[in-house]
Amino acid sequence: MADIIQLLPDHVANQIAAGEVVQRPASVVKELLENAIDAESTSIKLIVKDAGKTLIQVIDDGKGMSTTDARLSFERHATSKIRSAEDLFSINTKGFRGEALASIAAIAHVELKTKQEQNELGTQIEIEGSDIKSQEVVVTPKGTSVAVKHLFYNIPARRNFLKSDTVELRHIIDEFHRVALAHPDISFMMYHNGSENFNLPKSNYRQRVVNIFGTKTNEKLVPVEEETEVLKISGFVGKPEFSRKTKTEQFFFVNNRFIKSAYLNHAINSAFEGLIKEGSHPSYFLNLTVDPKTIDINIHPTKTEIKFDDEHTLYAILRSSVKHSLGQFNIAPVLDFERDKNLDTPYNFEGKHVSNPTVEVDRSFNPFQEERLSGKSGGFSMPYKKEAAAQWESLYVGLESKGTKTTQEFSEIQVESQHESQSLFNEKHAIESTQTTYQLHNKYIISTIKSGMLIIDQHRAHQRILYESLLKHTMIKEAVSQQLLFPLQLQFSSSEMELLKQLKEDLEHTGFVFSKFEDSEIEITGVPVNVPESEVSIILEQLISDVEQEVPDSNFSSTDLLAKSLSKSLAIKTGHTLTNMEQEHLVNSLFACKEPSVSPTNRTTFITMSVDDFDKKFM
């Protein structure tokens, strides 16, 4: 029998390895940015076109590579980060496997330009699908520039599985945030299709968080600082009142490397227990510094998962540190809810000596005695004597002066009787007393029908009514808007602003009026008629959350998702009491809908129980 096992060619092996390392354009961005950081750069620029499908370019001012290193960097398992297996237990760099550039070069067109500071000329290498097309000397500034073009050009199936530009760009921005947050001492810039998305100068950690997520973030942050023998914690957590519907502002960094850890995330949630509502998630930006020998980062190709030697200790320290910070900065509520904060004594007053008040009172002052005031023309007296109040009988003085004529005038006045005023509404009152619907536990509306009984879920029913109404207004573009007396100003992060820009036109069709739509701030001067002003920010945050969780692809309908999100936010909630008229209106509006039987999320809105069903219960 012939031998059937054979070695794969290098270009095939590289394409297989690329499937692990490069899953989408954001994976290329991550690998290139991390290489630039390992090169000790102080300024990094990211240029993206068509959400990375056409071009991803990273330019840094790091130490660069020699001609030999530039050629060798595209070979598999070629790296400058480690030398032996023992180095895996003391990794302080981002990369160490030596697979990233080889994997990227196997599935794209790559152009590399690099130069070391001491050299006058640099090196340019062009690679297409692992094949080196050219290598020549070139004039280029110090550092390295890597341009990745036509990603997945030789794997059309993988390219077809990429999502829309909106989704892929959001993943790229997420990776950019993770790298930029971990290194505030490096300046970062990002450009997409020629427009600047981010320009982050060198700064401290707090300023870096604010530059990325908007100026409003500054008031949300509570500092967390703790240092022990096994763990050092630094960073910030968000105040409980600013908790979010999504986990978009949750960042763990271990030794300046972004990680995902459900176990450590649970420690943060337990620290916030009782401070945030169920279903909300706290924000945190925490840097954890541990001994590299106590962690293993070589368990996943993306290096976002880490194994710790003693997770239980880290959990306890992290939880207590966050609870301590929330209590220290008076975020957690105290037991005495009637306490007046203005009466608290500041800590810096602890050593001060208590002295008697210096306010003096004239004890001889009497406001009821006559006081003599002297002036230029002599003097005058100011009486402070209390005058007796007039008697109530004085109100009738003079009424009897005309004798019986006054009495006759009063008797001639005709006043409408109380009985006649009520008779006007007797007929209407009798009509209103006929009740056809009933509300059960402020959750269900019960109505009688010919065959039995109808039970309606008021929240889901109202969702369906609002959903079809919003779709209609959005399609015909004739929504009614109510103007606000004072414009409402809201701030969002750059990634949230990108989503809102895509939904702006549809929001305007539903009744929102925007007078300002800039970098991280929007100004609203009008809202839909049925939207309370106090809930506008909550509704928009819920909308952003829904868009992020849906992860829409190229077939995504922004109009449909917008209508679903707004109807869910505006629908009456369980526990809301409805009048008889409101109940009847809800029932009539529901059965006027095209699809009254299900909510916008395909959940049942009502059920029916026939008389036969009741008869069976009594058998």
Coordinates of all heavy atoms in Angstrom, one line a residue, residues 389-401 406 410:
A389 N -56.1 93.9 65.6 CA -56.7 93.5 64.4 C -58.2 93.9 64.3 O -58.9 93.9 65.4 CB -56.6 92.0 64.2
A390 N -58.7 94.3 63.2 CA -60.1 94.7 63.0 C -61.0 93.5 63.3 O -60.7 92.3 63.0 CB -60.4 95.3 61.7
Q391 N -62.2 93.8 63.8 CA -63.2 92.7 64.1 C -63.9 92.3 62.8 O -64.1 93.1 61.9 CB -64.2 93.2 65.1 CG -63.6 93.5 66.5 CD -63.0 92.3 67.1 OE1 -63.5 91.2 67.0 NE2 -61.9 92.5 67.8
W392 N -64.4 91.0 62.7 CA -65.0 90.6 61.5 C -66.4 91.2 61.3 O -66.9 91.3 60.1 CB -65.1 89.0 61.5 CG -66.0 88.5 62.6 CD1 -65.7 88.1 63.8 CD2 -67.4 88.3 62.5 NE1 -66.7 87.7 64.6 CE2 -67.9 87.8 63.7 CE3 -68.4 88.4 61.5 CZ2 -69.2 87.4 64.0 CZ3 -69.7 88.1 61.8 CH2 -70.1 87.6 63.0
E393 N -67.0 91.7 62.4 CA -68.3 92.4 62.2 C -68.2 93.6 61.3 O -69.2 94.1 60.7 CB -68.9 92.7 63.5 CG -69.4 91.5 64.4 CD -68.2 90.9 65.2 OE1 -67.1 91.4 65.0 OE2 -68.5 90.0 66.0
S394 N -67.0 94.2 61.3 CA -66.8 95.5 60.5 C -67.0 95.3 59.0 O -67.2 96.2 58.3 CB -65.4 96.1 60.8 OG -64.4 95.2 60.3
L395 N -67.0 94.0 58.6 CA -67.2 93.8 57.2 C -68.6 94.1 56.7 O -68.9 94.4 55.6 CB -67.0 92.3 56.8 CG -65.5 91.8 57.0 CD1 -65.5 90.2 56.9 CD2 -64.6 92.4 56.1
Y396 N -69.6 94.1 57.7 CA -71.0 94.4 57.4 C -71.4 95.8 57.6 O -72.6 96.1 57.6 CB -71.9 93.4 58.2 CG -71.6 92.0 57.8 CD1 -70.7 91.2 58.5 CD2 -72.3 91.4 56.7 CE1 -70.5 89.9 58.2 CE2 -72.0 90.1 56.4 CZ -71.1 89.3 57.1 OH -70.9 88.0 56.8
V397 N -70.4 96.6 58.0 CA -70.8 98.0 58.3 C -71.3 98.7 57.0 O -70.6 98.7 56.0 CB -69.6 98.8 58.9 CG1 -69.9 100.3 59.0 CG2 -69.2 98.2 60.2
G398 N -72.5 99.4 57.1 CA -73.0 100.1 55.9 C -74.0 99.3 55.1 O -74.6 99.9 54.2
L399 N -74.1 98.0 55.3 CA -75.0 97.2 54.5 C -76.5 97.5 54.9 O -77.3 97.3 54.0 CB -74.7 95.7 54.7 CG -73.4 95.2 54.1 CD1 -73.2 93.7 54.3 CD2 -73.4 95.5 52.6
E400 N -76.7 97.9 56.1 CA -78.1 98.1 56.6 C -78.6 99.5 56.4 O -79.6 99.9 56.8 CB -78.3 97.7 58.1 CG -77.9 96.3 58.4 CD -78.8 95.3 57.7 OE1 -80.0 95.7 57.4 OE2 -78.4 94.2 57.4
S401 N -77.7 100.4 55.7 CA -78.1 101.8 55.6 C -79.3 102.0 54.7 O -80.0 103.0 54.8 CB -76.9 102.6 55.1 OG -76.5 102.1 53.8
T406 N -82.2 96.4 50.5 CA -81.0 95.4 50.3 C -81.5 94.0 50.4 O -81.1 93.1 49.6 CB -80.0 95.7 51.4 OG1 -79.6 97.0 51.4 CG2 -78.8 94.8 51.1
F410 N -81.4 90.9 47.4 CA -80.8 89.6 47.5 C -81.8 88.5 47.2 O -81.5 87.5 46.6 CB -80.3 89.4 48.9 CG -78.9 90.0 49.1 CD1 -78.7 91.0 50.0 CD2 -77.8 89.4 48.5 CE1 -77.4 91.6 50.1 CE2 -76.5 89.9 48.7 CZ -76.3 91.0 49.5

